[in-house]
Short mmCIF file of all heavy atoms in Angstrom, two decimals:
data_model
loop_
_atom_site.label_atom_id
_atom_site.label_comp_id
_atom_site.label_asym_id
_atom_site.label_seq_id
_atom_site.Cartn_x
_atom_site.Cartn_y
_atom_site.Cartn_z
N GLN V 17 -1.59 -6.50 12.41
CA GLN V 17 -1.60 -5.10 12.81
C GLN V 17 -1.41 -4.13 11.65
O GLN V 17 -1.74 -2.94 11.79
CB GLN V 17 -0.52 -4.84 13.86
CG GLN V 17 -0.74 -5.56 15.17
CD GLN V 17 -2.02 -5.13 15.87
OE1 GLN V 17 -2.40 -3.96 15.81
NE2 GLN V 17 -2.69 -6.07 16.52
N LEU V 18 -0.89 -4.59 10.52
CA LEU V 18 -0.57 -3.68 9.42
C LEU V 18 -1.41 -3.90 8.17
O LEU V 18 -1.63 -2.95 7.41
CB LEU V 18 0.92 -3.79 9.06
CG LEU V 18 1.91 -3.41 10.16
CD1 LEU V 18 3.34 -3.58 9.66
CD2 LEU V 18 1.69 -1.99 10.64
N ALA V 19 -1.83 -5.13 7.91
CA ALA V 19 -2.62 -5.41 6.71
C ALA V 19 -4.06 -4.95 6.91
O ALA V 19 -4.58 -4.88 8.02
CB ALA V 19 -2.58 -6.91 6.40
N LEU V 20 -4.72 -4.62 5.79
CA LEU V 20 -6.09 -4.12 5.83
C LEU V 20 -7.07 -5.29 5.90
O LEU V 20 -7.07 -6.15 5.01
CB LEU V 20 -6.38 -3.27 4.59
CG LEU V 20 -7.77 -2.65 4.49
CD1 LEU V 20 -7.99 -1.63 5.60
CD2 LEU V 20 -7.96 -2.00 3.12
N PRO V 21 -7.93 -5.34 6.91
CA PRO V 21 -8.91 -6.43 7.00
C PRO V 21 -10.07 -6.22 6.04
O PRO V 21 -10.31 -5.10 5.56
CB PRO V 21 -9.37 -6.37 8.46
CG PRO V 21 -9.20 -4.93 8.84
CD PRO V 21 -7.99 -4.44 8.08
N GLY V 22 -10.80 -7.28 5.76
CA GLY V 22 -11.92 -7.21 4.83
C GLY V 22 -13.26 -7.01 5.49
O GLY V 22 -14.29 -7.27 4.87
N SER V 23 -13.27 -6.57 6.74
CA SER V 23 -14.52 -6.38 7.48
C SER V 23 -14.51 -5.00 8.13
O SER V 23 -13.49 -4.58 8.71
CB SER V 23 -14.67 -7.47 8.55
OG SER V 23 -15.71 -7.16 9.45
N LEU V 24 -15.64 -4.31 8.03
CA LEU V 24 -15.74 -3.01 8.67
C LEU V 24 -15.64 -3.12 10.20
O LEU V 24 -15.10 -2.23 10.86
CB LEU V 24 -17.07 -2.34 8.30
CG LEU V 24 -17.17 -1.75 6.89
CD1 LEU V 24 -18.56 -1.16 6.66
CD2 LEU V 24 -16.11 -0.69 6.65
N TYR V 25 -16.16 -4.21 10.74
CA TYR V 25 -16.09 -4.41 12.19
C TYR V 25 -14.63 -4.53 12.63
O TYR V 25 -14.21 -3.90 13.60
CB TYR V 25 -16.87 -5.67 12.57
CG TYR V 25 -16.80 -6.00 14.04
CD1 TYR V 25 -17.60 -5.32 14.95
CD2 TYR V 25 -15.93 -6.98 14.51
CE1 TYR V 25 -17.54 -5.61 16.30
CE2 TYR V 25 -15.85 -7.28 15.86
CZ TYR V 25 -16.66 -6.59 16.75
OH TYR V 25 -16.60 -6.88 18.09
N THR V 26 -13.85 -5.33 11.92
CA THR V 26 -12.43 -5.48 12.25
C THR V 26 -11.67 -4.19 11.99
O THR V 26 -10.77 -3.81 12.75
CB THR V 26 -11.80 -6.63 11.45
OG1 THR V 26 -12.61 -7.80 11.60
CG2 THR V 26 -10.40 -6.93 11.93
N LEU V 27 -12.03 -3.49 10.92
CA LEU V 27 -11.38 -2.22 10.61
C LEU V 27 -11.64 -1.20 11.71
O LEU V 27 -10.77 -0.37 12.01
CB LEU V 27 -11.88 -1.69 9.26
CG LEU V 27 -11.32 -0.34 8.81
CD1 LEU V 27 -9.81 -0.42 8.63
CD2 LEU V 27 -11.98 0.11 7.51
N GLY V 28 -12.82 -1.26 12.34
CA GLY V 28 -13.13 -0.35 13.43
C GLY V 28 -12.20 -0.54 14.62
O GLY V 28 -11.91 0.43 15.35
N SER V 29 -11.70 -1.76 14.83
CA SER V 29 -10.78 -2.01 15.93
C SER V 29 -9.33 -1.75 15.54
O SER V 29 -8.47 -1.63 16.40
CB SER V 29 -10.92 -3.46 16.42
OG SER V 29 -10.58 -4.37 15.38
N ARG V 30 -9.06 -1.67 14.23
CA ARG V 30 -7.69 -1.36 13.75
C ARG V 30 -7.77 -0.34 12.62
O ARG V 30 -7.42 -0.62 11.47
CB ARG V 30 -7.00 -2.64 13.27
CG ARG V 30 -6.79 -3.68 14.34
CD ARG V 30 -5.82 -4.77 13.91
NE ARG V 30 -6.32 -5.56 12.80
CZ ARG V 30 -7.02 -6.68 12.95
NH1 ARG V 30 -7.31 -7.13 14.16
NH2 ARG V 30 -7.43 -7.36 11.89
N PRO V 31 -8.21 0.88 12.90
CA PRO V 31 -8.40 1.86 11.82
C PRO V 31 -7.11 2.29 11.15
O PRO V 31 -7.13 2.77 10.01
CB PRO V 31 -9.08 3.04 12.55
CG PRO V 31 -8.68 2.88 13.99
CD PRO V 31 -8.58 1.41 14.22
N TRP V 32 -5.97 2.18 11.85
CA TRP V 32 -4.69 2.60 11.26
C TRP V 32 -4.30 1.76 10.04
O TRP V 32 -3.50 2.19 9.23
CB TRP V 32 -3.60 2.54 12.31
CG TRP V 32 -3.41 1.17 12.92
CD1 TRP V 32 -2.65 0.15 12.44
CD2 TRP V 32 -4.04 0.69 14.11
NE1 TRP V 32 -2.76 -0.94 13.25
CE2 TRP V 32 -3.60 -0.64 14.29
CE3 TRP V 32 -4.92 1.25 15.04
CZ2 TRP V 32 -4.03 -1.41 15.36
CZ3 TRP V 32 -5.32 0.49 16.11
CH2 TRP V 32 -4.88 -0.83 16.27
N THR V 33 -4.87 0.54 9.93
CA THR V 33 -4.51 -0.32 8.80
C THR V 33 -4.96 0.26 7.47
O THR V 33 -4.45 -0.12 6.42
CB THR V 33 -5.12 -1.72 8.99
OG1 THR V 33 -6.55 -1.61 9.12
CG2 THR V 33 -4.58 -2.39 10.23
N LEU V 34 -5.91 1.20 7.52
CA LEU V 34 -6.35 1.86 6.29
C LEU V 34 -5.23 2.67 5.67
O LEU V 34 -5.24 2.95 4.46
CB LEU V 34 -7.55 2.77 6.61
CG LEU V 34 -8.46 3.20 5.47
CD1 LEU V 34 -9.05 1.99 4.76
CD2 LEU V 34 -9.57 4.10 5.98
N PHE V 35 -4.25 3.02 6.48
CA PHE V 35 -3.08 3.76 5.99
C PHE V 35 -1.84 2.88 5.89
O PHE V 35 -1.05 3.02 4.94
CB PHE V 35 -2.80 4.95 6.93
CG PHE V 35 -1.60 5.75 6.56
CD1 PHE V 35 -1.65 6.67 5.53
CD2 PHE V 35 -0.39 5.60 7.24
CE1 PHE V 35 -0.54 7.42 5.17
CE2 PHE V 35 0.71 6.34 6.90
CZ PHE V 35 0.64 7.25 5.86
N THR V 36 -1.66 1.98 6.85
CA THR V 36 -0.41 1.20 6.89
C THR V 36 -0.34 0.12 5.82
O THR V 36 0.76 -0.26 5.43
CB THR V 36 -0.26 0.54 8.27
OG1 THR V 36 -1.39 -0.31 8.54
CG2 THR V 36 -0.16 1.58 9.37
N TYR V 37 -1.48 -0.35 5.33
CA TYR V 37 -1.44 -1.48 4.40
C TYR V 37 -0.74 -1.13 3.09
O TYR V 37 -0.13 -1.99 2.44
CB TYR V 37 -2.87 -1.97 4.12
CG TYR V 37 -3.55 -1.28 2.95
CD1 TYR V 37 -3.55 -1.86 1.68
CD2 TYR V 37 -4.17 -0.05 3.11
CE1 TYR V 37 -4.16 -1.22 0.61
CE2 TYR V 37 -4.77 0.59 2.05
CZ TYR V 37 -4.77 -0.01 0.80
OH TYR V 37 -5.36 0.62 -0.26
N MET V 38 -0.80 0.14 2.69
CA MET V 38 -0.27 0.52 1.38
C MET V 38 1.26 0.63 1.38
O MET V 38 1.88 0.72 0.32
CB MET V 38 -0.89 1.85 0.93
CG MET V 38 -0.40 3.06 1.68
SD MET V 38 -1.11 4.62 1.08
CE MET V 38 -2.77 4.47 1.71
N TRP V 39 1.88 0.62 2.56
CA TRP V 39 3.34 0.72 2.64
C TRP V 39 4.00 -0.63 2.87
O TRP V 39 5.24 -0.70 2.94
CB TRP V 39 3.74 1.67 3.76
CG TRP V 39 3.04 2.99 3.71
CD1 TRP V 39 1.94 3.37 4.42
CD2 TRP V 39 3.35 4.09 2.86
NE1 TRP V 39 1.56 4.64 4.08
CE2 TRP V 39 2.42 5.12 3.13
CE3 TRP V 39 4.35 4.34 1.91
CZ2 TRP V 39 2.43 6.35 2.48
CZ3 TRP V 39 4.37 5.56 1.27
CH2 TRP V 39 3.43 6.55 1.55
N TYR V 40 3.21 -1.66 2.99
CA TYR V 40 3.72 -2.99 3.34
C TYR V 40 3.33 -3.99 2.26
O TYR V 40 2.16 -4.13 1.92
CB TYR V 40 3.17 -3.42 4.70
CG TYR V 40 3.55 -4.80 5.13
CD1 TYR V 40 4.85 -5.27 4.98
CD2 TYR V 40 2.61 -5.65 5.69
CE1 TYR V 40 5.19 -6.55 5.38
CE2 TYR V 40 2.94 -6.93 6.10
CZ TYR V 40 4.23 -7.37 5.94
OH TYR V 40 4.57 -8.64 6.33
N HIS V 41 4.33 -4.68 1.70
CA HIS V 41 4.10 -5.71 0.68
C HIS V 41 4.52 -7.07 1.24
O HIS V 41 5.51 -7.17 1.97
CB HIS V 41 4.90 -5.40 -0.59
CG HIS V 41 4.43 -4.16 -1.29
ND1 HIS V 41 4.64 -2.89 -0.77
CD2 HIS V 41 3.78 -3.98 -2.47
CE1 HIS V 41 4.13 -1.98 -1.60
NE2 HIS V 41 3.61 -2.61 -2.63
N ASN V 42 3.77 -8.09 0.86
CA ASN V 42 4.03 -9.41 1.44
C ASN V 42 4.85 -10.34 0.56
O ASN V 42 5.14 -11.47 0.95
CB ASN V 42 2.71 -10.10 1.81
CG ASN V 42 1.84 -10.35 0.59
OD1 ASN V 42 2.01 -9.70 -0.44
ND2 ASN V 42 0.91 -11.27 0.69
N ASP V 43 5.25 -9.88 -0.63
CA ASP V 43 6.15 -10.70 -1.45
C ASP V 43 6.98 -9.80 -2.35
O ASP V 43 6.61 -8.66 -2.65
CB ASP V 43 5.39 -11.75 -2.26
CG ASP V 43 4.49 -11.14 -3.33
OD1 ASP V 43 5.01 -10.74 -4.38
OD2 ASP V 43 3.26 -11.08 -3.09
N LEU V 44 8.11 -10.33 -2.79
CA LEU V 44 9.08 -9.54 -3.55
C LEU V 44 8.55 -9.12 -4.91
O LEU V 44 8.76 -7.98 -5.34
CB LEU V 44 10.38 -10.33 -3.70
CG LEU V 44 11.52 -9.62 -4.42
CD1 LEU V 44 11.93 -8.36 -3.67
CD2 LEU V 44 12.71 -10.56 -4.57
N GLY V 45 7.87 -10.02 -5.62
CA GLY V 45 7.36 -9.69 -6.94
C GLY V 45 6.37 -8.53 -6.89
O GLY V 45 6.41 -7.62 -7.74
N HIS V 46 5.49 -8.57 -5.91
CA HIS V 46 4.51 -7.49 -5.74
C HIS V 46 5.21 -6.16 -5.48
O HIS V 46 4.84 -5.12 -6.04
CB HIS V 46 3.59 -7.86 -4.56
CG HIS V 46 2.38 -7.00 -4.45
ND1 HIS V 46 1.67 -6.86 -3.27
CD2 HIS V 46 1.75 -6.21 -5.36
CE1 HIS V 46 0.65 -6.04 -3.48
NE2 HIS V 46 0.69 -5.63 -4.73
N LEU V 47 6.25 -6.19 -4.66
CA LEU V 47 6.99 -4.97 -4.33
C LEU V 47 7.71 -4.41 -5.56
O LEU V 47 7.63 -3.21 -5.83
CB LEU V 47 7.99 -5.27 -3.21
CG LEU V 47 8.92 -4.12 -2.80
CD1 LEU V 47 8.12 -2.97 -2.20
CD2 LEU V 47 9.97 -4.61 -1.81
N VAL V 48 8.40 -5.27 -6.30
CA VAL V 48 9.18 -4.81 -7.45
C VAL V 48 8.28 -4.20 -8.52
O VAL V 48 8.56 -3.12 -9.06
CB VAL V 48 10.02 -5.97 -8.01
CG1 VAL V 48 10.66 -5.57 -9.34
CG2 VAL V 48 11.08 -6.41 -7.02
N VAL V 49 7.19 -4.89 -8.86
CA VAL V 49 6.29 -4.40 -9.91
C VAL V 49 5.67 -3.06 -9.51
O VAL V 49 5.62 -2.11 -10.31
CB VAL V 49 5.20 -5.45 -10.20
CG1 VAL V 49 4.14 -4.87 -11.14
CG2 VAL V 49 5.80 -6.68 -10.84
N ASN V 50 5.21 -2.97 -8.27
CA ASN V 50 4.58 -1.73 -7.83
C ASN V 50 5.57 -0.56 -7.82
O ASN V 50 5.23 0.56 -8.22
CB ASN V 50 3.99 -1.91 -6.44
CG ASN V 50 2.59 -2.50 -6.48
OD1 ASN V 50 2.00 -2.68 -7.55
ND2 ASN V 50 2.04 -2.82 -5.33
N MET V 51 6.80 -0.80 -7.35
CA MET V 51 7.76 0.29 -7.30
C MET V 51 8.20 0.72 -8.70
O MET V 51 8.47 1.90 -8.94
CB MET V 51 8.97 -0.12 -6.45
CG MET V 51 8.65 -0.36 -4.98
SD MET V 51 7.89 1.06 -4.14
CE MET V 51 6.12 0.60 -4.18
N LEU V 52 8.27 -0.22 -9.62
CA LEU V 52 8.61 0.14 -11.00
C LEU V 52 7.52 1.01 -11.61
O LEU V 52 7.81 2.03 -12.27
CB LEU V 52 8.80 -1.14 -11.82
CG LEU V 52 9.21 -0.95 -13.28
CD1 LEU V 52 10.55 -0.24 -13.38
CD2 LEU V 52 9.27 -2.30 -14.01
N LEU V 53 6.27 0.65 -11.39
CA LEU V 53 5.16 1.45 -11.90
C LEU V 53 5.10 2.82 -11.23
O LEU V 53 4.82 3.83 -11.88
CB LEU V 53 3.83 0.71 -11.70
CG LEU V 53 3.64 -0.57 -12.52
CD1 LEU V 53 2.33 -1.26 -12.15
CD2 LEU V 53 3.67 -0.25 -14.02
N LEU V 54 5.39 2.84 -9.93
CA LEU V 54 5.39 4.12 -9.21
C LEU V 54 6.47 5.04 -9.74
O LEU V 54 6.26 6.25 -9.88
CB LEU V 54 5.58 3.87 -7.71
CG LEU V 54 5.68 5.11 -6.82
CD1 LEU V 54 4.45 6.00 -6.97
CD2 LEU V 54 5.86 4.70 -5.36
N TYR V 55 7.62 4.50 -10.06
CA TYR V 55 8.70 5.32 -10.60
C TYR V 55 8.35 5.89 -11.97
O TYR V 55 8.54 7.08 -12.24
CB TYR V 55 9.98 4.49 -10.69
CG TYR V 55 11.16 5.25 -11.24
CD1 TYR V 55 11.84 6.18 -10.46
CD2 TYR V 55 11.59 5.05 -12.55
CE1 TYR V 55 12.91 6.89 -10.97
CE2 TYR V 55 12.67 5.75 -13.06
CZ TYR V 55 13.32 6.67 -12.27
OH TYR V 55 14.38 7.37 -12.79
N ILE V 56 7.80 5.04 -12.84
CA ILE V 56 7.49 5.47 -14.22
C ILE V 56 6.36 6.49 -14.23
O ILE V 56 6.49 7.60 -14.77
CB ILE V 56 7.14 4.26 -15.09
CG1 ILE V 56 8.36 3.33 -15.25
CG2 ILE V 56 6.64 4.71 -16.46
CD1 ILE V 56 8.05 2.03 -15.94
N PHE V 57 5.23 6.12 -13.63
CA PHE V 57 4.06 6.99 -13.72
C PHE V 57 4.13 8.13 -12.69
O PHE V 57 3.45 9.15 -12.87
CB PHE V 57 2.79 6.16 -13.54
CG PHE V 57 2.49 5.30 -14.72
CD1 PHE V 57 2.87 3.97 -14.74
CD2 PHE V 57 1.86 5.83 -15.83
CE1 PHE V 57 2.61 3.17 -15.84
CE2 PHE V 57 1.59 5.03 -16.94
CZ PHE V 57 1.98 3.71 -16.95
N GLY V 58 4.94 7.96 -11.65
CA GLY V 58 5.15 9.07 -10.75
C GLY V 58 5.89 10.21 -11.43
O GLY V 58 5.52 11.39 -11.29
N ARG V 59 6.92 9.89 -12.16
CA ARG V 59 7.65 10.92 -12.91
C ARG V 59 6.76 11.55 -13.98
O ARG V 59 6.83 12.76 -14.21
CB ARG V 59 8.89 10.30 -13.55
CG ARG V 59 9.95 9.86 -12.56
CD ARG V 59 11.20 9.36 -13.27
NE ARG V 59 11.81 10.41 -14.08
CZ ARG V 59 12.87 10.23 -14.86
NH1 ARG V 59 13.43 9.02 -14.93
NH2 ARG V 59 13.38 11.22 -15.56
N LEU V 60 5.93 10.72 -14.61
CA LEU V 60 5.03 11.25 -15.63
C LEU V 60 4.00 12.19 -15.01
O LEU V 60 3.69 13.26 -15.57
CB LEU V 60 4.34 10.08 -16.34
CG LEU V 60 3.54 10.41 -17.60
CD1 LEU V 60 4.44 10.99 -18.67
CD2 LEU V 60 2.86 9.15 -18.12
N PHE V 61 3.48 11.82 -13.86
CA PHE V 61 2.52 12.67 -13.15
C PHE V 61 3.15 14.02 -12.81
O PHE V 61 2.53 15.07 -12.99
CB PHE V 61 2.06 11.95 -11.89
CG PHE V 61 0.96 12.64 -11.13
CD1 PHE V 61 -0.35 12.22 -11.25
CD2 PHE V 61 1.23 13.71 -10.29
CE1 PHE V 61 -1.37 12.85 -10.54
CE2 PHE V 61 0.23 14.34 -9.59
CZ PHE V 61 -1.08 13.91 -9.72
N LEU V 62 4.38 13.99 -12.32
CA LEU V 62 5.06 15.22 -11.90
C LEU V 62 5.48 16.09 -13.08
O LEU V 62 5.86 17.25 -12.89
CB LEU V 62 6.28 14.86 -11.05
CG LEU V 62 5.95 14.24 -9.69
CD1 LEU V 62 7.19 13.61 -9.07
CD2 LEU V 62 5.36 15.28 -8.75
N THR V 63 5.44 15.54 -14.28
CA THR V 63 5.73 16.35 -15.47
C THR V 63 4.64 17.37 -15.71
O THR V 63 4.89 18.48 -16.21
CB THR V 63 5.89 15.44 -16.69
OG1 THR V 63 6.92 14.49 -16.45
CG2 THR V 63 6.24 16.25 -17.93
#
């Protein structure tokens, strides 16, 4: 229900996944690396 499918047909039946997938991570390493990059380059962007 939350991950983004790889098919337009499946995406048509679950269009909300186009938004929900980016807030959900399936492993700790992926989460930590992404949040570290978001913190560094997010602050740089806001500068």
Side-chain angles (χ1 to χ4, degrees):
Q17 295 298 324
L18 298 180
L20 181 66
S23 168
L24 285 178
Y25 177 79
T26 309
L27 179 61
S29 62
R30 297 194 295 269
W32 58 85
T33 58
L34 200 58
F35 178 78
T36 58
Y37 89 96
M38 72 178 73
W39 309 98
Y40 176 45
H41 294 70
N42 62 339
D43 66 78
L44 182 61
H46 192 201
L47 177 65
V48 171
V49 172
N50 275 354
M51 295 303 99
L52 182 62
L53 293 176
L54 177 56
Y55 180 75
I56 295 173
F57 288 97
R59 292 185 61 184
L60 190 61
F61 186 101
L62 292 166
T63 303

